[in-house]
């Protein structure tokens, strides 16, 4: 049962992710992204990680994609003609894709060599308490760093989106 | 005239939150809600028609049962949307009202055109057409919405009248014919 | 008595429960629309719909009460929406146009699964009594799950507005997306103090709605206190955000019939249109339910008086009261009464206040409510820390 569901969700997620890339229509792409996120949430549920599933839906499906749609509708983006690949994008995307595939393959093969017993895997994603403990003890530094990165990104967006006339405006 | 500048007091903190006003508004609507409703249950309960109400135009008889309209066609002429169509006719010589000479043969008011302006009533020299308290005209066809003479008299009925000007005129004429002069 | 039910296969039971929820929630939402018409009528000094009655029932004495309440009007409306010609205008994006009302049903009908409606005592194997919630699922992260699924509701509005391919629905969709994101923040932040309080050190470490009610049913002054007294500001912010999230007046920007014709549903009619409104009312029901669970003690009849107290007291006279069935019914009734009051409150506000302007909605959300809810969170974090450090036994 759970195997079957896993395969269903996995195929669903990947299919929707492909839909994001190949859809001509921006809104349809965003909706595919939404479905793909829901698929991932389903996978989390299969892993008993309810909290992660719920957070994923709440933050990404609930807010971020809605924001995407808002922007798409606000700017009224039409599909339009696609730009042809330039040489630079071609090279960089090949390199990036290659790296990704290498990473995935090595990850998968190592996983195959290791036989972990299911019961030994620490369950931190299912209960709020365990999750919070991990967040505030083991992963405190990464969380803070990510937080700072987000803050910097936000400041950057504010600076970019406001048209500053000169140094006077910043002060 | 001197301009009076009204002192505007700055809003207090509470006022700026709007909350007291919202609460007051809620109290008002709640009071309204527990009050009995003001709607008339229409077909069972009819509204009281005030004096001077301008309802459907109708034709009336005088207290002697004479139809007052003399088909002078003034109302037809004045009616802004041209709702009135009159076919004038003679009064037969053997009628007790023969001295009035004329009466409408047919009198039609198209209630799909009528705008209830009351000009016909105002212009009528005979006080023969009245906008009375009939307010609900319905029909399933266009033809039904045209009131003919019969229906107009049905709706109008008899109104009190003290002039009897045609009778007075006849009496005066007869007196003149008998006595030569006044 | 009901053992046969628990012996059914799990899948069948889940399907039955799910169907039951839909069968209850759908007419309930429809009944809300009638309540809305009645409340608006009363506030405006009218009797509201009070004439419809099927002729073959008219002879029953006393049926005029139902007639006056507009019960049959509701059925007539439902029938009309179902049998009316369902038009898909030529200029719309048909797939998404039809998808939108269907998508609106997903969050509307799923969120209710996480709401406990009542509780009853059940005897554990070792003979002790344990309070069990009456809910389809009692997740550890119940509240978050409701928020998460509820936040998906915005897509039906966005999709409807976008797929309609005309000006006003489009504006409605854009407004919906921005508004719902803005108020979600304050909403989530405003409930955090409640869970800080519930999850005091040594507490259960939970976001379950059942546990929130449980922590309002403790003995002692603070234990039995409803959180609306303990955290009025949180309750206030949550309520405002709830109004905005359910698109109710004065926050019904996406609909706003004065300036947007009908907003996102301008191009809709018949059954598809009614689905949007079933969804809106279902959101209202669920939202009111959450508010009652978080701040009004759920199924407890009064502050400092818990359902268990009442049932134990009543069982002294009539042992039947302590039976799970009766206790469950009492709990559900109490809870639904509170929810019903809140639904009434929603309508009451709707027929009292004028609609905000869109920029006012945004200012209120980002410049007033968000800082307020952050300040509220910080304040309560400090207060709760002080209490836990210095007065742990309070
Ligand atoms: S109703 Fe009056 S105005 Fe009209 S034709 Fe008759 S007498 Fe003349
Ligand atoms: S009320 Fe006015 S519109 Fe109607 S018949 Fe008389 S003059 Fe014509």
């Amino acid at each position: 049962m759970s195997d079957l569901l896993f395969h269903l969700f996995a195929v669903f997620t990947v299919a929707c992710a492909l839909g994001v890339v190949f859809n001509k229509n921006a809104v349809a792409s965003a909706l595919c992204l939404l479905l793909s996120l829901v698929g991932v949430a389903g996978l989390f549920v299969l892993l008993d990680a309810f909290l992660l599933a719920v957070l994923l839906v709440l933050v990404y499906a609930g807010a971020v994609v809605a924001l995407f749609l808002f922007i798409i509708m606000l700017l009224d983006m039409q599909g339009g003609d696609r730009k042809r690949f330039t040489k630079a994008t071609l090279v960089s995307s090949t390199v990036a894709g290659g790296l990704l595939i290498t990473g995935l393959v090595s990850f998968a093969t190592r996983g195959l060599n290791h036989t972990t017993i299911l019961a030994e895997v620490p369950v931190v994603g299912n209960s709020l308490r365990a999750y919070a403990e991990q967040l505030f003890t083991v992963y405190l530094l990464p969380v803070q760093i990510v937080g700072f990165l987000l803050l910097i990104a936000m400041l950057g967006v504010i600076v970019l989106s406001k048209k500053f006339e000169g140094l006077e405006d910043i002060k | 005239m001197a301009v009076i500048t009204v002192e505007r007091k700055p809003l207090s903190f509470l006022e700026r939150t709007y909350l007291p006003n919202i609460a007051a508004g809620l109290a008002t609507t709640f009071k309204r809600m527990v009050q009995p409703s003001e709607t008339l249950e229409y077909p069972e309960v009819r509204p009281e028609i005030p004096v001077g109400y301008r309802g459907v135009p109708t034709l009336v008889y005088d207290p002697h049962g004479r139809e007052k309209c003399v088909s002078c066609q003034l109302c037809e002429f004045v009616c802004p949307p041209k709702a009135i169509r009159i076919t004038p006719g003679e009064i037969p010589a053997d009628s007790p009202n023969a001295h009035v000479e004329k009466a409408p043969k047919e009198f039609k008011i198209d209630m799909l055109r009528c705008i209830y302006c009351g000009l016909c009533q105002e212009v009528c020299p005979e006080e023969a057409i009245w906008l009375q308290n009939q307010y609900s005209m319905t029909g399933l066809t266009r033809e039904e919405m045209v009131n003919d003479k019969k229906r107009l008299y049905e709706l109008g009925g008899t109104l009190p009248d003290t002039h009897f000007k045609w009778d007075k005129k006849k009496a005066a004429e007869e007196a003149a014919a008998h006595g030569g002069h006044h | 008595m009901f053992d046969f039910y628990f012996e059914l296969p799990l899948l069948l039971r889940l399907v039955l429960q799910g169907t039951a929820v839909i069968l209850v929630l759908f007419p309930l939402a429809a009944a809300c629309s009638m309540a809305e018409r009645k409340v608006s009528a009363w506030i405006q000094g009218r009797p509201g719909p009070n004439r419809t009655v099927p002729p073959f029932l008219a002879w029953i004495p006393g049926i005029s009460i139902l007639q006056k309440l507009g019960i049959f009007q509701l059925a007539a409306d439902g029938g009309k929406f179902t049998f009316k010609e369902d038009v898909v205008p030529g200029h719309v994006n048909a797939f998404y146009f039809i998808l939108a009302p269907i998508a609106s049903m997903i969050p509307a009908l799923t969120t209710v699964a996480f709401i406990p409606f009542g509780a009853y005592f059940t005897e554990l194997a070792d003979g002790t009594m344990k309070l069990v919630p009456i809910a389809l699922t009692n997740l550890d992260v119940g509240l978050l799950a409701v928020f998460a699924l509820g936040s998906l509701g915005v897509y039906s509005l966005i999709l409807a507005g976008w797929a309609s391919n005309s000006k006003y629905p489009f504006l409605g969709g854009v407004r919906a997306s921005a508004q719902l994101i803005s108020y979600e923040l304050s909403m989530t932040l405003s409930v955090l103090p409640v869970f800080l309080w519930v999850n005091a050190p040594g507490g259960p470490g939970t976001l379950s709605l059942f546990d929130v009610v449980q922590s309002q049913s403790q003995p002692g002054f603070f234990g039995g206190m409803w959180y609306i007294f303990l955290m009025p500001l949180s309750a206030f912010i949550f309520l405002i955000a709830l109004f905005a999230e359910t698109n109710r007046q004065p926050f019904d920007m996406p609909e706003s019939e004065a300036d947007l014709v009908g907003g996102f549903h301008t191009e809709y009619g018949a059954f598809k249109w009614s689905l949007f409104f079933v969804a809106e009312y279902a959101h209202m029901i669920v939202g009111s339910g959450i508010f009652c669970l978080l701040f009004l003690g759920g199924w407890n009849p009064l502050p400092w008086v818990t359902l268990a107290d009442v049932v134990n007291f009543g069982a002294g006279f009539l042992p039947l009261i302590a039976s799970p069935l009766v206790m469950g019914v009492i709990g559900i009734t109490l809870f639904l009464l509170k929810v019903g009051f809140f639904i009434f409150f929603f309508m009451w506000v709707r027929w009292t206040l004028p609609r905000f302007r869109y920029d006012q909605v945004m200012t209120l959300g980002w410049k007033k409510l968000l800082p307020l809810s952050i300040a509220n969170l910080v304040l309560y974090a400090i207060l709760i820390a002080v209490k836990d450090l210095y007065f742990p036994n309070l």
Side-chain angles (χ1 to χ4, degrees):
Chain A
M1 176 82 181
S2 126
D3 262 2
L4 179 72
L5 280 179
F6 170 78
H7 285 114
L8 273 181
F9 275 118
V11 170
F12 177 75
T13 309
V14 173
C16 291
L18 288 178
V20 179
V21 184
F22 290 114
N23 243 315
K24 283 241 166 65
N25 187 323
V27 173
S29 275
L31 288 173
C32 280
L33 178 59
L34 173 67
L35 287 182
S36 166
L37 286 169
V38 170
V40 176
L43 289 176
F44 276 137
V45 170
L46 287 182
L47 291 173
D48 277 350
F50 296 113
L51 182 71
L52 286 184
V54 162
L55 282 181
L56 189 78
V57 174
L58 180 67
V59 176
Y60 288 95
V64 172
V65 179
L67 208 61
F68 284 177
L69 280 174
F70 174 67
I71 304 286
I72 292 170
M73 285 166 69
L74 202 66
L75 302 183
D76 200 13
M77 277 197 253
Q78 302 299 341
D81 1 286
R82 308 210 150 188
K83 288 207 185 96
R84 300 231 60 90
F85 286 122
T86 62
K87 227 176 224 155
T89 46
L90 213 57
V91 170
S92 57
S93 56
T94 321
V95 170
L99 279 177
L100 191 67
I101 290 171
T102 334
L104 276 180
V105 166
S106 79
F107 200 64
T109 45
R110 269 202 228 166
L112 285 181
N113 295 339
H114 260 283
T115 40
T116 31
I117 300 145
L118 201 60
E120 278 177 10
V121 180
V123 236
V124 288
N126 67 341
S127 97
L128 185 64
R129 176 166 215 146
Y131 184 77
E133 247 164 34
Q134 296 284 316
L135 214 57
F136 282 100
T137 52
V138 182
Y139 297 106
L140 187 59
L141 189 64
V143 170
Q144 290 300 324
I145 291 172
V146 171
F148 267 113
L149 275 179
L150 281 179
L151 186 66
I152 291 165
M154 196 166 76
L155 288 178
V157 169
I158 292 174
V159 170
L160 285 180
S161 60
K162 279 219 160 190
K163 290 212 174 58
F164 291 108
E165 295 295 300
L167 269 184
E168 299 302 301
D169 274 357
I170 299 174
K171 288 171 198 160
Chain B
M1 226 171 73
V3 175
I4 303 169
T5 318
V6 180
E7 257 327 292
R8 261 181 216 278
K9 269 188 261 155
L11 296 178
S12 69
F13 174 73
L14 260 189
E15 277 169 333
R16 265 187 292 147
T17 61
Y18 301 118
L19 291 180
N21 296 354
I22 289 178
L26 286 175
T28 310
T29 43
F30 192 80
K31 254 184 261 150
R32 296 283 335 166
M33 189 158 55
V34 291
Q35 277 168 9
S37 78
E38 313 203 340
T39 310
L40 289 180
E41 298 283 328
Y42 166 63
E44 294 93 33
V45 187
R46 301 285 175 139
E48 217 163 279
I49 305 297
V51 187
Y53 184 81
R54 294 207 309 243
V56 173
T58 60
L59 291 178
V60 297
Y61 295 111
D62 81 350
H64 296 328
R66 181 183 65 83
E67 56 176 310
K68 290 173 96 177
C69 172
V70 296
S71 70
C72 70
Q73 290 175 292
L74 278 178
C75 54
E76 182 174 12
F77 185 71
V78 78
C79 176
K82 304 208 184 312
I84 303 179
R85 274 284 169 280
I86 299 171
T87 321
E90 304 264 315
I91 297 181
D94 54 351
S95 153
N97 296 327
H99 58 288
V100 184
E101 291 168 15
K102 266 173 86 185
K105 199 153 95 202
E106 190 45 272
F107 199 117
K108 282 190 170 148
I109 304 185
D110 187 349
M111 292 317 293
L112 292 173
R113 304 198 71 138
C114 174
I115 55 171
Y116 299 83
C117 63
L119 285 183
C120 47
Q121 176 182 350
E122 205 167 301
V123 81
C124 178
E126 299 290 325
E127 300 188 347
I129 189 164
W130 286 82
L131 276 71
Q132 298 191 45
N133 54 12
Q134 173 73 32
Y135 51 82
S136 131
M137 271 295 298
T138 51
L140 296 174
T141 59
R142 283 173 175 272
E143 285 70 46
E144 263 177 73
M145 294 303 286
V146 179
N147 288 336
D148 59 5
K149 185 173 151 185
K150 188 161 150 272
R151 178 125 180 79
L152 286 170
Y153 276 116
E154 257 167 37
L155 290 171
T158 308
L159 280 192
D161 183 2
T162 48
H163 305 315
F164 301 115
K165 74 174 191 185
W166 289 98
D167 290 352
K168 280 181 192 156
K169 189 179 169 207
K170 187 183 174 193
E173 269 168 10
E174 274 167 8
H178 286 294
H181 57 83
H182 299 282
Chain C
M1 183 164 41
F2 300 104
D3 289 342
F4 76 92
Y5 177 71
F6 292 101
E7 280 154 16
L8 292 176
L10 179 70
L11 208 61
L12 184 63
R13 245 166 59 201
L14 291 181
V15 169
L16 279 181
Q17 284 172 347
T19 322
V21 164
I22 294 177
L23 285 185
V24 170
L25 203 65
F26 224 85
L28 213 60
C32 280
S33 75
M34 180 47 59
E36 175 107 57
R37 289 175 67 181
K38 276 295 190 185
V39 169
S40 77
W42 290 332
I43 284 181
Q44 295 165 356
R46 298 182 281 121
N50 65 348
R51 293 203 165 248
T52 324
V53 67
F56 59 89
L57 289 180
W59 55 272
I60 302 175
I63 201 149
S64 68
I65 299 177
L66 293 185
Q67 185 190 355
K68 289 254 155 56
L69 284 175
I71 303 291
F72 302 111
Q73 181 71 44
L74 178 61
D77 284 353
K80 183 194 117 179
F81 281 133
T82 319
F83 295 117
K84 209 172 155 180
E85 184 188 358
D86 211 350
V87 195
V88 177
H91 56 80
V92 302
N93 190 333
F95 176 68
Y96 294 103
F97 187 77
I98 296 172
L99 183 70
I102 299 173
S104 77
M105 294 321 294
I106 298 172
L109 295 179
T110 46
T111 41
V112 76
F114 302 101
I115 298 204
F117 280 89
Y120 62 91
F121 278 119
T122 180
E123 204 170 324
L124 290 186
D126 56 357
T128 50
M129 298 300 245
K130 185 173 171 270
L131 209 56
V132 186
I134 304 172
L136 286 186
T137 50
N138 182 30
L139 271 191
D140 182 32
V141 287
L143 182 75
L144 273 185
V146 175
F147 280 171
L149 286 172
S151 67
L152 295 182
V154 65
Y155 290 106
S156 72
L157 309 194
I158 299 181
L159 269 186
W162 175 73
S164 290
N165 195 12
S166 77
K167 252 181 265 175
Y168 294 123
F170 185 77
L171 283 175
V174 173
R175 285 181 179 191
S177 53
Q179 174 180 330
L180 267 69
I181 298 170
S182 315
Y183 281 80
E184 221 159 73
L185 278 173
S186 321
M187 192 170 199
T188 325
L189 283 177
S190 73
V191 297
L192 281 182
V194 172
F195 286 96
L196 280 183
W197 179 263
V198 174
N199 296 318
T206 174
L207 285 176
S208 143
L209 289 163
F210 176 64
D211 290 335
V212 175
V213 179
Q214 279 308 86
S215 69
Q216 293 176 71
S217 333
Q218 304 299 323
F221 179 71
F222 277 124
M225 188 190 253
W226 288 358
Y227 290 149
I228 191 166
F229 303 120
L230 199 61
M231 305 167 185
L233 196 57
S234 285
F236 177 68
I237 298 171
F238 186 79
L239 192 63
I240 294 184
L242 197 61
F243 270 90
E245 287 289 305
T246 48
N247 290 324
R248 292 291 297 183
Q249 211 117 332
F251 291 97
D252 63 341
M253 286 300 118
E255 210 181 312
S256 163
E257 64 272 353
D259 44 342
L260 292 189
V261 189
F264 66 93
H265 61 66
T266 305
E267 307 285 347
Y268 282 86
F271 195 61
K272 292 201 285 293
W273 182 87
S274 64
L275 281 187
F276 280 123
F277 283 83
V278 168
E280 178 176 324
Y281 285 114
H283 276 306
M284 252 165 75
I285 295 173
V286 172
S288 316
I290 303 272
F291 188 87
C292 294
L293 290 169
L294 289 181
F295 296 105
L296 289 180
W299 44 85
N300 294 325
L302 288 171
W304 296 288
V305 181
T306 68
L307 178 66
D309 294 343
V310 173
V311 166
N312 287 337
F313 179 73
F317 302 106
L318 197 65
L320 183 72
I321 292 183
S323 80
L325 190 66
V326 178
M327 185 173 175
V329 170
I330 296 177
I332 291 180
T333 315
L334 283 169
F335 180 66
L336 285 185
L337 276 180
K338 289 181 194 175
V339 172
F341 171 77
F342 263 91
I343 289 171
F344 165 71
F345 183 72
F346 270 98
M347 297 173 181
W348 184 14
V349 168
R350 166 163 182 191
W351 297 103
T352 303
L353 298 184
R355 179 181 294 121
F356 287 134
R357 234 171 34 218
Y358 193 64
D359 61 322
Q360 289 171 330
V361 169
M362 284 294 126
T363 320
L364 184 67
W366 288 105
K367 292 194 184 158
K368 306 268 160 63
L369 227 46
L370 188 59
L372 195 65
S373 52
I374 293 175
N376 177 46
L377 174 62
V378 172
L379 177 73
Y380 274 99
I382 293 172
L383 283 183
I384 290 170
V386 168
K387 179 200 163 265
D388 282 342
L389 280 182
Y390 298 103
F391 314 99
N393 307 319
L394 208 65

